[in-house]
Amino acid sequence: MKLHRLALAGLVTAGLVTAAASSPLLSATAAPAAESSSRQQDATADRSTGCFKQTTQQPGTGADYTLVSGGIERTYRLHLPAKYDARKAQQLIVVYHGRGKTGEFTEAFSDLSKLDAIVAYPNGVLGDEDKQAWQGAPYSKAGVDDVKFTADLLDSLEATYCVDKSAVYATGKSNGAGFTGILACQMADRFAAIAPVAGAFYIEGKRCHPSRPIPVLDIHGTGDTTIPYGGDGSRDLPSVQTWTRDWAVRNGCDPEPQLSTKGDDVLTATYKRCDADVVHVAVTDGGHSWPGSDAASGPGYVSQTFEAHELIGQFFRAHKLRS
């Protein structure tokens, strides 16, 4: 495999960088300048109202639930960490599946339930071709407000379980990953960070005005033929680098990111001096897949150089909502 050639060439062509240095993946995000030192307060300050409430679901298990939002009965799967304690506020991660998939399917390949967090896997509404999809995509069902559904879901989970409201995050794959970008624009007051994988970031014609700078970790394969790395104008899909650079501009970052490499197929671009961190991980020749997964996650090459769920977990742990 050619060492990062495609990903690096794309970044250089875009005028973003001039050279790559060998360093540990995401080493620059270990101590985010804008986020990690901003919270000096009592540990109980961000406990949700669900703390100290008894639940029927046992720690370390998953269960399926329903929730009515916008007059529609919605469904989601919820996994509690093995050490869940109703007296201790936990991270909450909301995971959005790809088009035509389900939360249960995404849980199986993503390994996100291995993280020490409450993890919710909501299901989209049937859109074109009777495939479940999320708001913002041309094939999603018209009139469905998934942003409102997300707010209702967070309200319900925070009222039922002991959630650290400063540590609520969104991730997902493909169409679901694209939807996390919409959440970052419209719900930055509820989500501490997002981490889309193989995201389908359809141009909606709406301006993005987040209420605060929000950290973004983006992972995408340069060989993705479903959602091309270089974009697809016929489908209103921008290039992944353009989408990431736009977040760097919103977050006040320096225009040129710092590059680091891992293995022979991972190139990480970390934007510096940001109001909130922006990191892009390009998997050379990577397909429409979930890095590190041992289960079927999509077509194309699956990198085993890193585990996406571990990287996402690391990024989320480093970022909390600021008071």
Side-chain angles (χ1 to χ4, degrees):
M1 183 178 296
K2 298 177 180 178
L3 177 61
H4 314 298
R5 185 171 297 173
L6 181 55
L8 179 57
L11 287 167
V12 172
T13 300
L16 297 179
V17 295
T18 57
S22 179
S23 61
L25 183 65
L26 285 186
S27 58
T29 68
E35 298 281 336
S36 63
S37 63
S38 64
R39 299 184 58 83
Q40 300 293 329
Q41 59 180 338
D42 187 87
T44 65
D46 293 304
R47 281 180 174 172
S48 71
T49 57
C51 291
F52 300 102
K53 290 185 178 179
Q54 295 296 318
T55 63
T56 57
Q57 185 174 338
Q58 295 299 308
T61 67
D64 297 313
Y65 297 91
T66 61
L67 173 69
V68 176
S69 177
I72 304 173
E73 185 174 81
R74 307 296 296 265
T75 61
Y76 64 95
R77 184 164 183 80
L78 186 72
H79 185 272
L80 294 181
K83 296 181 180 179
Y84 176 75
D85 184 341
R87 299 167 298 178
K88 179 182 178 182
Q90 301 269 347
Q91 284 188 346
L92 170 60
I93 300 173
V94 187
V95 185
Y96 296 87
H97 61 71
R99 184 193 185 196
K101 307 303 181 183
T102 65
E104 183 178 11
F105 176 79
T106 306
E107 179 182 27
F109 70 71
S110 69
D111 286 334
L112 288 165
S113 289
K114 293 181 178 180
L115 299 177
D116 185 21
I118 300 168
V119 188
Y121 301 87
N123 292 305
V125 173
L126 294 177
D128 291 356
E129 300 177 355
D130 288 331
K131 293 183 177 181
Q132 294 185 124
W134 297 103
Q135 180 181 344
Y139 40 75
S140 62
K141 186 172 180 61
V144 174
D145 191 342
D146 285 320
V147 174
K148 177 62 166 60
F149 165 55
T150 295
D152 291 341
L153 177 61
L154 294 186
D155 289 345
S156 177
L157 294 174
E158 290 173 2
T160 307
Y161 303 94
C162 194
V163 174
D164 181 349
K165 294 192 294 181
S166 72
V168 178
Y169 309 95
T171 184
K173 182 175 179 287
S174 193
N175 168 221
F179 181 59
T180 69
I182 295 175
L183 293 176
C185 294
Q186 299 187 30
M187 292 185 66
D189 61 322
R190 300 289 299 269
F191 287 100
I194 66 167
V197 179
F201 305 112
Y202 295 98
I203 300 173
E204 293 187 282
K206 300 178 181 179
R207 295 294 297 273
C208 177
H209 295 290
S211 59
R212 67 173 184 92
I214 182 169
V216 175
L217 165 64
D218 177 70
I219 302 171
H220 210 111
T222 66
D224 190 332
T225 58
T226 303
I227 305 297
Y229 188 80
D232 184 345
S234 67
R235 291 191 286 159
D236 287 331
L237 286 169
S239 75
V240 177
Q241 290 174 12
T242 296
W243 185 86
T244 306
R245 187 168 54 246
D246 285 347
W247 274 106
V249 171
R250 290 188 192 101
N251 288 352
C253 307
D254 284 352
E256 294 189 359
Q258 175 181 305
L259 290 186
S260 61
T261 62
K262 185 177 179 67
D264 64 355
D265 65 347
V266 177
L267 177 69
T268 298
T270 302
Y271 287 86
K272 307 296 289 184
R273 285 182 283 276
C274 304
D275 296 325
D277 290 328
V278 177
V279 180
H280 170 56
V281 179
V283 180
T284 304
D285 298 328
H288 194 61
S289 54
W290 188 272
S293 178
D294 295 323
S297 62
Y301 167 65
V302 181
S303 174
Q304 298 298 326
T305 301
F306 70 101
E307 301 275 349
H309 77 282
E310 292 179 352
L311 193 58
I312 290 168
Q314 172 191 337
F315 189 77
F316 287 169
R317 286 191 300 274
H319 299 89
K320 282 193 173 186
L321 278 169
R322 293 177 288 182
S323 297

